[in-house]
Amino acid sequence: QIGFTGTVFDQVYENLISWTRGYANRYYPENLERAAISGYTLSVTGSPASDHLTASLNYTTTNPRNRSPDPTTYNLYLPYRALSNLNFDVQWRAQNWRGQLSGQVQGRTFIRAANTKWLDGFRLWNISLSRQFRRGSVKAGLNLAVNNVSDQHYEVLERYPLPGRQFVITLNIEY
């Protein structure tokens, strides 16, 4: 089974409140008279091994523009909106085992209203393996995961770095 979905969007916003960095590196709301966000999304999902193996891929590109009549900002990118995103997920299931590989690739994000500064894109890879147990009325699950496998240094807001590689062990017990 394979499924394809495509969506094209073009939205105009009147009186959109956007956040901008101002005095003392603080964020302040800014009222934009008009903004337009257009783009497209493509999605592919599949299950080539009768639900033992499933995969999904989702790609979105956006063109967020300031359409306010101010000549210094007209048609510039809106800050804090990624221009592209790619997400994928591959899952494998067999009896009580589950493995997962997922990733995210995010493109450039402008961070100043004047479009003079941006955050570079980044790539994240995550992997996990889990096992479910059941004995009588007790259910348990063990999950081992490594997030940000490649130890990518990235930010979605300027000067707020997000975590590097993380090792996660989770044990859930229900009775």
Side-chain angles (χ1 to χ4, degrees):
Q1 298 175 341
I2 295 179
F4 297 97
T5 305
T7 306
V8 176
F9 55 91
D10 188 8
Q11 297 175 315
V12 175
Y13 299 92
E14 304 288 338
N15 298 316
L16 177 70
I17 295 177
S18 182
W19 292 89
T20 58
R21 184 176 286 233
Y23 178 73
N25 279 327
R26 294 186 182 185
Y27 292 93
Y28 297 94
E30 176 184 21
N31 188 9
L32 302 177
E33 289 181 39
R34 189 174 173 93
I37 300 176
S38 61
Y40 62 89
T41 299
L42 300 173
S43 298
V44 178
T45 57
S47 183
S50 66
D51 292 335
H52 292 293
L53 180 66
T54 58
S56 65
L57 180 74
N58 186 326
Y59 177 74
T60 301
T61 183
T62 58
N63 186 18
R65 299 290 185 148
N66 185 346
R67 300 291 191 203
S68 296
D70 182 357
T72 61
T73 60
Y74 179 78
N75 209 29
L76 295 180
Y77 288 109
L78 297 175
Y80 315 116
R81 287 164 177 85
L83 301 183
S84 64
N85 264 318
L86 172 69
N87 294 297
F88 75 90
D89 184 62
V90 177
Q91 293 184 14
W92 163 78
R93 291 185 198 110
Q95 295 178 359
N96 293 327
W97 289 91
R98 180 175 170 245
Q100 181 176 10
L101 172 66
S102 62
Q104 176 184 1
V105 179
Q106 182 170 305
R108 175 187 293 192
T109 304
F110 285 93
I111 58 173
R112 297 287 165 92
N115 287 189
T116 57
K117 189 162 184 179
W118 61 83
L119 294 175
D120 291 328
F122 57 86
R123 291 179 182 91
L124 297 178
W125 308 96
N126 304 314
I127 191 166
S128 68
L129 181 64
S130 61
R131 170 87 161 102
Q132 301 296 319
F133 304 92
R134 185 175 187 130
R135 182 165 214 128
S137 63
V138 177
K139 294 183 205 176
L142 177 65
N143 185 45
L144 307 171
V146 180
N147 297 326
N148 194 358
V149 172
S150 60
D151 200 21
Q152 174 81 41
H153 298 283
Y154 68 104
E155 299 173 318
V156 292
L157 285 177
E158 183 182 24
R159 297 185 188 152
Y160 292 96
L162 289 167
R165 185 179 304 122
Q166 302 169 55
F167 298 93
V168 180
I169 298 173
T170 308
L171 177 62
N172 294 321
I173 300 174
E174 293 180 35
Y175 58 91

